[in-house]
Amino acid sequence: MELEVIIGLAGLIFLAAALYSSVGHGGASGYLAAMALFGLAPLVMKPTALTLNILVAAIATIKFYRAGCFSWKLFQSLALASVPFAFIGGAVSLPGYLYKPIVGLVLLYAAYQLLAGKGVKAEVSPPASRLPLFASGAVIGLLSGLTGVGGGIFLSPLLLFLGWAETRQVSGVAAAFILVNSAAGLLGHYSAVSSIPGEVLVWAPAAILGGWIGAQYGSRRLPAPIILKLLSAVLLVAGLKMLFGV
């Protein structure tokens, strides 16, 4: 791989990690978009994005948890259902011509709703039953495994629109959710192809540095309205990637 490609990708990965981790996300959709721009093979893109996702989501989970932005009840119910489905999705390779446009439009709509201040409930009211959380976790886990993302781009707007958690708590739960789903998706991918590209080691330091900076500011210093605007930007990037990416 040429030096220019390595350096260019490292810079984009750093920026994606900083932006995404500020709202509790791992950045997989950003990494996928960056790798698509440089023409990397799909077989390299998915496991690389998931691996970098694990590193950044781990940092974000620690930062938001220490800042008191977390809910074990929400996380446990979502993760119990999502992890096995993320593993299944990670082991399956499907053509993107069908689900990518649909998911992309959903993400763009969610970005618009957040940016316009619509749909987000002011009052926080967690579901009385765990069944909606189990169902949501299963669907998002499968999507995250299939697409090579951790699921935060689907989970965060869902929690906000349904009023299941406040803004910072959404970021903390999303970070931990992304961490376990990315790990399950990567294991599923490895079980199917038995290889992880060595290029991951080249870009890991950039992702870790960007993730630490973004999570530090997002967990303690950024006000909730700014986090919502950043989240809308994340959803916009992810939606455009799904619509026009490889």
Side-chain angles (χ1 to χ4, degrees):
M1 188 176 296
E2 295 181 358
L3 182 61
E4 292 82 359
V5 174
I6 294 175
I7 295 175
L9 262 176
L12 291 178
I13 286 169
F14 169 82
L15 292 175
L19 171 63
Y20 279 66
S21 62
S22 68
V23 295
H25 288 197
S29 58
Y31 310 142
L32 288 170
M35 287 184 282
L37 286 175
F38 282 91
L40 268 66
L43 192 62
V44 173
M45 291 170 60
K46 183 175 178 178
T48 299
L50 285 171
T51 303
L52 297 177
N53 225 31
I54 292 170
L55 296 174
V56 175
I59 295 170
T61 299
I62 294 170
K63 293 288 186 182
F64 279 93
Y65 181 81
R66 287 180 175 175
C69 309
F70 194 72
S71 168
W72 275 109
K73 183 178 180 181
L74 279 178
F75 169 70
Q76 288 174 346
S77 299
L78 290 163
L80 281 174
S82 70
V83 168
F85 281 91
F87 179 88
I88 294 171
V92 175
S93 295
L94 294 178
Y97 64 86
L98 182 60
Y99 70 81
K100 280 190 176 182
I102 297 175
V103 171
L105 290 174
V106 170
L107 294 177
L108 291 178
Y109 177 75
Y112 165 74
Q113 292 288 92
L114 287 177
L115 195 60
K118 300 177 181 180
V120 180
K121 292 189 177 181
E123 296 182 0
V124 175
S125 178
S129 169
R130 292 197 176 194
L131 184 59
L133 294 173
F134 287 143
S136 300
V139 173
I140 295 174
L142 183 61
L143 281 173
S144 69
L146 287 171
T147 58
V149 300
I153 54 175
F154 308 118
L155 179 65
S156 293
L158 178 69
L159 294 180
L160 288 169
F161 293 159
L162 296 179
W164 287 352
E166 58 89 21
T167 303
R168 287 186 182 276
Q169 196 175 65
V170 165
S171 296
V173 172
F177 183 84
I178 291 166
L179 175 60
V180 296
N181 281 319
S182 296
L186 185 62
L187 287 173
H189 176 85
Y190 186 78
S191 71
V193 301
S194 300
S195 67
I196 296 176
E199 291 90 344
V200 171
L201 297 176
V202 177
W203 300 305
I208 291 171
L209 180 59
W212 188 90
I213 293 173
Q216 176 69 19
Y217 279 86
S219 63
R220 297 185 180 274
R221 302 186 184 186
L222 292 179
I226 298 298
I227 292 179
L228 287 177
K229 285 183 172 57
L230 287 173
L231 179 57
S232 68
V234 166
L235 294 173
L236 177 63
V237 171
L240 292 174
K241 192 272 164 189
M242 286 290 182
L243 283 174
F244 303 110
V246 176

